[in-house]
Amino acid sequence: KQEVTQIPAALSVPEGENLVLNCSFTDSAIYNLQWFRQDPGKGLTSLLLIQSSQREQTSGRLNASLDKSSGRSTLYIAASQPGDSATYLCAVRQGTDKLIFGTGTRLQVFP
Amino acid sequence: EPEVTQTPSHQVTQMGQEVILRCVPISNHLYFYWYRQILGQKVEFLVSFYNNEISEKSEIFDDQFSVERPDGSNFTLKIRSTKLEDSAMYFCASSGTTGWASGANVLTFGAGSRLTVL
């Protein structure tokens, strides 16, 4: 059974720092991995999707990498801003319709 | 930018009552999903729906739950007899493709419907 874990569970940093959020999964047989952002009381916003054949994806200040063989993905946030404060979720899709979500990392960036 | 719309944003109901949560997916999307998140827990898959039928469902999605796409635009989740443990945020999502069709299946989620069962 696929298990997805994220560390750290919470992170508080000053504005301007570069951050690394980690996601690990137990079964490397995945189709893709997706990173989401969740703001309090709101829905999930897709940030990046990495196909199983890809190593990384970039969007603006965000870069996500995937090492399928070791069951790991990282989300790198460059030059963090207070507006980046949110919970970040990773989710994997295997050979079925469903996404399996991680535990989340709650990020706070203070001015 | 196209979005998934969910109503109501918050519903409070008594245990044993029926609840219908509504979703309007993105208009050209073909795959529809319900997920839920109990407070403080992971987001969990409930059900996926394609071509007017359920394509997959989780163990959570028992006979108490049903989904429907009644008119080609709305996608509903019905909970027949609510229990205290059904209290959660319910998220609808849609995508244009699914994993094995093209691999580029980015899900777009709605803002969620918070259900509180008393």
Side-chain angles (χ1 to χ4, degrees), chain A residues 17-21 35-37 45-50 56-65 74-81 83-85 88 107:
Chain A
E17 279 206 4
N18 300 323
L19 307 171
V20 175
L21 308 182
W35 283 93
F36 292 89
R37 169 187 172 134
T45 302
S46 179
L47 299 172
L48 291 164
L49 181 146
I50 312 177
E56 65 180 312
Q57 281 286 342
T58 298
S59 175
R61 294 182 293 108
L62 305 179
N63 175 276
S65 66
T74 60
L75 179 67
Y76 178 82
I77 303 175
S80 58
Q81 303 171 357
D84 295 330
S85 299
Y88 290 81
L107 172 65

Side-chain angles (χ1 to χ4, degrees), chain A residues 66-111:
Chain A
L66 175 64
D67 184 344
K68 213 174 70 153
S69 60
S70 68
R72 291 181 183 177
S73 176
T74 60
L75 179 67
Y76 178 82
I77 303 175
S80 58
Q81 303 171 357
D84 295 330
S85 299
T87 297
Y88 290 81
L89 303 174
C90 68
V92 300
R93 174 171 289 205
Q94 295 186 280
T96 69
D97 246 347
K98 65 183 180 185
L99 292 178
I100 301 168
F101 280 84
T103 45
T105 294
R106 189 181 314 126
L107 172 65
Q108 183 174 9
V109 181
F110 53 90

Side-chain angles (χ1 to χ4, degrees), chain B residues 76-88:
Chain B
T76 62
L77 174 68
K78 182 190 289 186
I79 309 175
R80 253 178 281 282
S81 177
T82 50
K83 306 171 190 168
L84 295 176
E85 55 265 35
D86 294 329
S87 294

Side-chain angles (χ1 to χ4, degrees), chain B residues 20 25 31-32 41 55 60 70 83 99-100 107 110 117-118:
Chain B
I20 297 176
Y31 300 85
F32 313 110
Q41 298 187 21
S55 51
I60 304 167
K83 306 171 190 168
W100 50 86
L107 266 66
V117 182
L118 302 176

Side-chain angles (χ1 to χ4, degrees), chain A residues 4 32 38 51 93 96-97 99, chain B residues 35 48 55-56 98 103 105:
Chain A
V4 183
N32 59 47
Q38 183 176 26
Q51 303 297 342
R93 174 171 289 205
T96 69
D97 246 347
L99 292 178
Chain B
Y35 286 78
S48 59
S55 51
E56 186 178 359
T98 190
N105 58 313

